[in-house]
Amino acid sequence: MTAQPATPDAGPGALRRTIEQPGGFATVVELVPWAGALQDPKGAKPLKIAADLAGNTRITALSITDNAGGFAKLPPDVLGEQAAKHGHDVIVHVACRDRNRNAMQSLGWNLLSRGLSTVLALSGDYPADGYEGMPRPVFDIDSVSLLELLRKLGDEATAKAIEAGTDPEAAAKASRFYLGAAIDPFKRLERDLVPQFLKLAMKARAGADYAITQVGYDARANSVLKQWLAQTGLDIPVIANAFVLTGGVARTFNAGKVAGCVVSDALLEVCEREAKSPDKGRAFFLEFAAKQVVMARGLGFAGIYLSVHKDAGDVTKILELADAHPADDWRSVIKDISWALPGTVQPFELDGDGLATPEIGRAYAASLTPEARKRARGAVSPMYKFDRFLHDRVFTPGTPGFNTWSKLYAKVEPTVLDKPLHVLEQAAKVPLFDCRDCGDCSLPDIAYLCPESHCQKNQRNGPCGGAHDGQCEVPGHTCVWADAYQRLKPYGEELTMLERDIVVQDNSLRRTSAWGNTFLGRDHYARAAKARAKGAEGEQA
Ligand code: SF4
């Protein structure tokens, strides 16, 4: 018996149809735009891949990256439109690095107008280089708020079309996005890995319809992700990643030159050896990718995401090799494609094949006991304890402290004392938190760590995918979310740290008193509370 082939469906909307079909398995092929105009000779290869794959019903969609690696390239919608002309369904990547929220809205309407409604929402790699030096990154919103923005934008467009008399099903088809999110299950440390899972849940709440994994070469990690989703009841289809290696790519990933893409030393050794063969390891690397396809089918992923940058023939070859593996023997490939970094956390016990079982990993379980948490609380810094104490008594709405300070700010703000009070606030917050005076404070959201000064991408709704071993993808910093996870765990709050409203920072509050904005109901907490109240009123009406 051979493996079940990808569900044959192609053309506009094929990804959604395939993924939503029980047991559907999508094959997505990545295309990377080039630095130049559409007619630039550099585009010949990706354009040829799109053309060569036209009419191939095994290919569910082409997926176009957005300034991948932080380098300026042709926008993905331009290449996406060319791919669509060949009849392909297209995933357009949208990264938060280069556009503010207004540009995102414009882009959203632009994409809907052009029928490019399947999107992968990303924070985006930190900029790498640019015209006359390093560009200033935007990161006005993050991937979670981008998902929410695009979902709302699509819902509004649909509602307007229905109001104008369009059939509801046709309106939704024409005006709603099919939204994707990224998830990186290949982290070594618990403090990097678990927040990734928590953020995926938040992305699903924000509107993600499907997810795609980051580049990684560890079948065990893929099984951990599936096990985590099963145990937390998070029902989101996930497409597994298979970036086809070469010796050079393996070296680049191993050296940490592409944020979030990891190749272990042991896997690098194998890749280096294979790359010395007469075919430069081509047969080995295509078989390696085929095994990842087999694994994805066996573990119940919703599809495979193939990053093949040479030619369309490689895609066909990988699928043929994968089909040749007996479906009932998919576990036999696992050991060949499990290349975890040494010391990788085991949230679950593993079975004989090295795949996650439903049993919680012994060491991880031991760290979750009340005794372990109590011991860990003994090492918590007095300053963090004080921050929590102060927040509970003064900054929590409804407490006597909050009410007193609200009254005080209401009296002081219209007077000349307003400025000195702001100076006093900064005198406390700059040395304690490296505060940047954004005016819409997220300290309580991130265990009293400032995202403006401690996160290079100002991520307010969980970590981006770039952290490695607790370090930010931008060298010289720890990851603010890994640190927050560590701070919250002794209190048993780490698993719920993202079970809260999505934070969208209001830039009109910059250089104004965050305390005043909190006590007088102008910050994101107050805005979220008002939105909740409005929603509840709407439900009652
Ligand atoms: S601090 Fe963490 S979330 Fe922020 S940019 Fe760095 S790796 Fe990403």
Side-chain angles (χ1 to χ4, degrees), residues 69-70 97 123-128 139 187 214 256-260 456-457 459 463-468 470-479:
R97 171 197 49 238
S123 293
D125 303 316
Y126 201 78
F139 297 115
K187 303 295 186 196
Q214 172 62 285
K257 287 186 183 162
V258 183
Q456 302 309 304
K457 300 182 189 171
Q459 300 285 290
C464 72
H468 179 59
Q471 300 296 308
C472 176
E473 73 174 73
V474 181
H477 307 268
T478 54
C479 174

Side-chain angles (χ1 to χ4, degrees), residues 161-185:
I162 293 171
E163 229 176 271
T166 310
D167 165 68
E169 207 177 304
K173 208 172 159 200
S175 314
R176 263 201 198 121
F177 285 101
Y178 191 51
L179 295 170
I183 164 73
D184 188 346

